[in-house]
Amino acid sequence: MKVLIIGATSAVAKQFARLRAEQGDQLYLIARNESKLQEFSQDLGACVVGSSCFNFIETEQAQSEIVKAQQSLGQIDLVLFAHGLLPTQAQTETELEAMLQTFSVNLVSVIALLNPLHLLLQAQASPAKIAVITSVAGDRGRPRNFTYGAAKGGLGLYLEGLRSKYICSGIELYNIKLGPTDTPMTVDHEKNGTFITADKAAALINKGLKGRNYTLYVPGFWRWIMLAVKLMPEWLFQRLKFLSAP
Ligand SMILES: NC(=O)c1ccc[n+]([C@@H]2O[C@H](COP(=O)([O-])OP(=O)(O)OC[C@H]3O[C@@H](n4cnc5c(N)ncnc54)[C@H](OP(=O)(O)O)[C@@H]3O)[C@@H](O)[C@H]2O)c1
């Protein structure tokens, strides 16, 4: 398969790329940091047919980067979006730049890449899958991370619309609702029993992409936890401090 990985230097994306390389896929990698990407590409070897670097918030570059990837791969069978930014909630409320970056990276930059990508895939003769990592944080506004959650939840809504637009066509869209994962993003977070490794997250994503469950909770138990959390009336949610504490 020909696989495009966007945000390829993220811990989860790197494990996913390794899995796809083992499966014999050809990869095109896009990331921000050139030295990190070069080192990782060399590590993966000949399965990397191309790569490019740019800061994803420079959205005017998005279309040309997607075209470059498609020209390099020839066709695109699978895409994973894996970049993200998680400042502290306090930063996003007190620093305008942190708030803008949260929405630019987690929402606007993804849509800027997604739009030229789906139009290009629509014109492609063969079917394709697009998977976007959002977060369980996007399911309900919690004092701990509601700016990040709003960006990820907004992205989930966008993906839902796009999925309906392409129903019964050759494009399948997955919203990967990832739970807490031990990566550089959560290095300062206190770890509890719900945390999984990047390795495990990548393996579950890879497995999930074989099925037709387009809202994919990773790990799967989050589907049931978040169902209960979403159904809970707000007055109750606010009183359960383990859920609504800052
Ligand atoms: N870790 C968790 O607990 C968790 C939970 C739910 C969802 N998620 C989501 O899972 C995905 C993977 O995250 P991770 O945990 O693997 O995090 P990670 O290792 O910290 O990776 C984050 C990636 O985002 C990239 N990035 C940030 N801002 C960027 C920008 N302006 N332009 C281009 N790239 C940018 C970083 O690039 P650089 O290498 O250049 O810094 C890095 O590769 C993200 O979408 C994240 O929001 C994570």
Side-chain angles (χ1 to χ4, degrees), residues 116-134:
L117 176 70
H118 75 74
L119 294 173
L120 195 141
L121 294 180
Q122 191 182 22
Q124 176 178 286
S126 56
K129 296 186 181 209
I130 305 173
V132 182
I133 305 181
T134 65

Side-chain angles (χ1 to χ4, degrees), residues 91-167:
Q91 277 176 312
T92 67
E93 289 177 51
T94 56
E95 298 166 27
L96 178 66
E97 190 53 29
M99 183 277 286
L100 292 173
Q101 290 266 337
T102 304
F103 283 97
S104 296
V105 174
N106 294 304
L107 177 64
V108 178
S109 79
V110 181
I111 297 174
L113 288 155
L114 197 50
N115 281 344
L117 176 70
H118 75 74
L119 294 173
L120 195 141
L121 294 180
Q122 191 182 22
Q124 176 178 286
S126 56
K129 296 186 181 209
I130 305 173
V132 182
I133 305 181
T134 65
S135 172
V136 292
D139 273 3
R140 186 131 204 193
R142 300 175 66 194
R144 185 173 300 171
N145 56 12
F146 60 85
T147 310
Y148 173 78
K152 291 290 197 180
L155 181 56
L157 206 64
Y158 196 90
L159 293 171
E160 188 181 24
L162 206 52
R163 183 161 53 245
S164 297
K165 173 176 160 155
Y166 284 114
I167 191 92

